[in-house]
Amino acid sequence: MRKSNTQSLGDVLREYIREMHMEKKLKEVDVVQSWETLLGKTIASYTRNIYLSKGILYVEISSSVVKNELIMMREEIRSRLNELAGDEMIEKIVFK
């Protein structure tokens, strides 16, 4: 017999994520994954390691030319990544 208080799977998953306090970590993963979408495959090909820790996005770049270009665009990149996340996830970007 089926219970009358059925919920959609999406609602159940959202509730579980909220209860387990995983929302922020999932947004951090989204920010890192949106790097290639935002900057394109060419720039992403020069990127070796991207991670977010305590509001700071660390990005390892293999080309000094690309690194200098990204340093000049740092604030624009930060604001666009935060906009994609829908929250102020990144306070600062560090290029290595």
Side-chain angles (χ1 to χ4, degrees):
M1 190 153 120
R2 187 175 246 190
K3 292 185 179 182
S4 63
N5 61 349
T6 58
Q7 295 177 322
S8 71
L9 182 58
D11 292 340
V12 171
L13 287 174
R14 275 188 284 281
E15 185 177 329
Y16 177 76
I17 289 170
R18 186 174 32 86
E19 286 179 8
M20 298 305 288
H21 306 289
M22 295 172 24
E23 297 158 323
K24 185 174 181 178
K25 190 63 179 171
L26 287 174
K27 282 186 180 183
E28 289 177 5
V29 170
D30 286 343
V31 165
V32 170
Q33 288 180 345
S34 64
W35 178 263
E36 183 177 334
T37 304
L38 181 65
L39 295 168
K41 290 185 182 207
T42 305
I43 299 295
S45 68
Y46 292 105
T47 303
R48 285 190 244 169
N49 193 12
I50 305 171
Y51 62 95
L52 187 61
S53 175
K54 299 180 183 176
I56 301 173
L57 181 68
Y58 295 94
V59 183
E60 189 175 333
I61 306 291
S62 61
S63 167
S64 61
V65 174
V66 172
K67 180 180 173 182
N68 288 334
E69 289 293 321
L70 292 175
I71 287 172
M72 290 190 295
M73 297 172 43
R74 183 182 314 207
E75 282 305 310
E76 180 184 347
I77 294 168
R78 186 187 70 79
S79 66
R80 290 179 66 194
L81 285 170
N82 283 333
E83 184 179 316
L84 283 174
D87 198 4
E88 193 70 21
M89 298 296 295
I90 303 170
E91 298 170 12
K92 180 179 175 182
I93 300 177
V94 175
F95 295 106
K96 300 183 196 177

